[in-house]
Amino acid sequence: MRITGSTRLAGIMGWPIAHSRSPALHNFWLDQYGIDGVYVPLAVRPEQLETALRALPALGFRGCNLTIPHKQKALAIVDRVDPVARRIGAVNTVVVASDGRLEAWNTDVYGFRENLRDIVPDWQATAGPAVVLGAGGAARAVIAALAEDGVSEIRLVNRTMARAAEVAHDLAAPRCRITVHPWGEREAALRDAGILVNTTSLGMVGEPGLEIELTELPVSAVVVDIVYVPLETRLLAAARQRGHRVVDGLGMLLHQGRPGFEAWFGIPVRVSDELRTAVLATLAPAGPAMAGAARQQRGSQ
Ligand SMILES: NC(=O)c1ccc[n+]([C@@H]2O[C@H](COP(=O)([O-])OP(=O)(O)OC[C@H]3O[C@@H](n4cnc5c(N)ncnc54)[C@H](OP(=O)(O)O)[C@@H]3O)[C@@H](O)[C@H]2O)c1
């Protein structure tokens, strides 16, 4: 790689940042498409986020990604926020616009949707109610995507009911009914469902497993786990064994990077098997070190 005065710059701000997979993702694309650009990890302390974001235009950066703990705080700093990101309450992609202003998006919505389309192109939003396990930041993006895509009923199941109720309120949409269910009723909620999505951290290396019996779930339903460390969670293995079509979490991570890359470097990119292999190789091997990598996965990027 040759870095010159005309090399385009982008990066990811987080604290800590060392374990982020985003540099591997974006630099793979830069290399693959022969673009004069570089994507760097930027260790930015929470109290310095505003200074760092405001410095982007002055430093000639095209923009950046944001990961933990900056995704919510940045909403109040940037100049323009995409309406969906505002409803979700978090942004993960910042673009320096031609007028020097900072625009922010949440590309997890795009990442979830594109991954689903990629892996199960014939899945229809009309296939039946969606069951979403979890009500954290990732659940908000998943629910926004499902509602935008035309799912008419979303059953939101969470351990903390108040959090689920808040999500249902914030993401209320005209043609989508979001109902909230206690964690103890997760199996009953599967009846007649067309898709099940795990957005909890359960099943991730270093976290407890996700205990759920799939008996009530129609075999035609698609099962998605957005956890990707490990890639094949116990939920996906059990679903596969029952004959469900399954979707793992790595594709969501890869697809969510596309809108930012395209805005910063000016070229549409795709998610290939080679890319999946390259990013998978950056995830720590199994063992104690994996727990550290898994904890970092909470940042998703
Ligand atoms: N594939 C991707 O691109 C991608 C993108 C974003 C996130 N993710 C992954 O998605 C997962 C969630 O991320 P997040 O940012 O939404 O995290 P978060 O905001 O911390 O939410 C975690 C969720 O898991 C639930 N949970 C945790 N422990 C539980 C337990 N013992 N029993 C029942 N529920 C439990 C929480 O329930 P309470 O509300 O009751 O605490 C909450 O709903 C992480 O594994 C993250 O890495 C993947």
Side-chain angles (χ1 to χ4, degrees):
M1 184 201 303
R2 208 168 66 88
I3 296 177
T4 69
S6 57
T7 300
R8 294 179 182 208
L9 303 171
I12 177 160
M13 295 183 189
W15 186 263
I17 197 61
H19 292 85
S20 170
R21 274 83 38 195
S22 289
L25 168 62
H26 290 279
N27 288 314
F28 178 94
W29 277 326
L30 287 168
D31 194 39
Q32 182 182 29
Y33 292 90
I35 297 168
D36 181 15
V38 66
Y39 181 102
V40 291
L42 299 163
V44 174
R45 290 177 185 275
E47 62 275 18
Q48 306 230 289
L49 179 63
E50 180 157 12
T51 310
L53 281 172
R54 287 283 160 218
L56 286 172
L59 291 171
F61 272 65
R62 305 286 172 131
C64 70
N65 283 126
L66 296 168
T67 188
I68 283 177
H70 302 321
K71 289 177 165 195
Q72 286 84 23
K73 197 177 163 202
L75 271 175
I77 297 172
V78 298
D79 302 303
R80 290 188 281 261
V81 178
D82 170 74
V84 180
R86 191 167 292 287
R87 281 201 295 142
I88 290 171
V91 291
N92 65 356
T93 303
V94 176
V95 176
V96 177
S98 50
D99 60 1
R101 304 255 173 172
L102 302 178
E103 281 180 7
W105 312 329
N106 187 313
T107 62
D108 279 341
V109 180
Y110 178 89
F112 176 78
R113 174 185 295 130
E114 287 298 302
N115 189 38
L116 202 56
R117 282 194 185 146
D118 203 9
I119 309 294
V120 282
D122 59 332
W123 173 78
Q124 302 275 337
T126 51
V131 177
V132 175
L133 304 178
R140 285 174 170 262
V142 167
I143 289 169
L146 291 169
E148 271 184 12
D149 285 354
V151 172
S152 60
E153 181 188 348
I154 296 175
R155 298 171 185 163
L156 173 52
V157 184
N158 198 45
R159 180 180 58 177
T160 308
M161 286 291 278
R163 199 177 185 193
E166 202 179 318
V167 172
H169 172 267
D170 292 351
L171 295 174
R175 279 174 293 280
C176 179
R177 197 161 66 94
I178 305 175
T179 55
V180 298
H181 305 261
W183 189 243
E185 290 176 15
R186 60 194 180 282
E187 284 157 6
L190 300 177
R191 208 162 297 143
D192 307 326
I195 185 167
L196 165 65
V197 187
N198 175 43
T199 76
T200 72
S201 43
L202 296 174
M204 186 163 89
V205 172
E207 298 289 331
L210 169 58
E211 305 289 340
I212 188 165
E213 181 56 62
L214 299 177
T215 320
E216 297 288 347
L217 188 67
V219 177
S220 56
V222 169
V223 177
V224 186
D225 200 334
I226 71 163
V227 166
Y228 55 87
V229 183
L231 201 52
E232 176 96 341
T233 58
R234 215 157 69 192
L235 170 66
L236 293 189
R240 200 188 291 282
Q241 203 164 27
R242 287 189 87 230
H244 295 277
R245 287 174 302 160
V246 302
V247 180
D248 68 51
L250 183 61
M252 176 177 169
L253 170 77
L254 304 179
H255 282 285
Q256 68 71 33
R258 288 172 50 203
F261 187 96
E262 293 171 17
W264 305 321
F265 301 112
I267 284 189
V269 283
R270 59 183 203 92
V271 170
S272 61
D273 288 345
E274 294 73 27
L275 175 65
R276 279 178 71 90
T277 306
V279 175
L280 259 183
T282 68
L283 299 174
M290 191 74 151
R295 276 192 296 278
Q296 292 298 326
Q297 194 210 314
R298 283 181 174 287
S300 87
Q301 295 173 309

